[in-house]
Amino acid sequence: MDTIFALASARGKSGVSVIRISGTRAHDVARAMAGSLPPLRQATLRMLRNGAGERLDSALVLTFAKGASFTGEDVAELMVHGSMATVAAVERCLAVD
């Protein structure tokens, strides 16, 4: 199965938006944006960066192991600020990977 991502919260302006990354490379993709990942099932604040190293947003990052997630696969969740511009910037970065 491919690694995919999707907005897991409602689209539009909000305080917080959740972007879920699921699949065999989910943790690698999240690590590329967040640097180090927190221990499984422990939310930790990280600075998200694009491929050029530019800051995108500070986010809570949460990871789940295969078999212990909503999708049954490795999952990473990025809880970013809910502006549509922030969500779009993170999604663009994820679409490139």
Side-chain angles (χ1 to χ4, degrees):
M1 173 113 203
D2 292 335
T3 299
I4 60 172
F5 69 92
L7 190 60
S9 54
R11 191 162 296 279
K13 288 197 279 188
S14 65
V16 176
S17 291
V18 179
I19 300 171
R20 182 176 292 134
I21 308 164
S22 181
T24 56
R25 295 187 53 241
H27 294 174
D28 295 333
V29 171
R31 191 176 294 109
M33 292 184 70
S36 63
L37 294 181
L40 294 170
R41 303 176 72 89
Q42 182 177 329
T44 304
L45 187 64
R46 294 286 190 263
M47 179 58 63
L48 301 183
R49 297 179 184 275
N50 65 17
E54 300 167 326
R55 290 179 168 193
L56 295 173
D57 194 22
S58 56
L60 282 178
V61 176
L62 182 60
T63 56
F64 300 92
K66 180 179 179 177
S69 71
F70 179 77
T71 65
E73 302 176 309
D74 283 339
V75 166
E77 291 186 353
L78 309 175
M79 289 159 243
V80 301
H81 290 94
S83 79
M84 295 185 320
T86 299
V87 171
V90 173
E91 289 177 328
R92 275 193 305 275
C93 187
L94 288 168
V96 170
D97 194 337

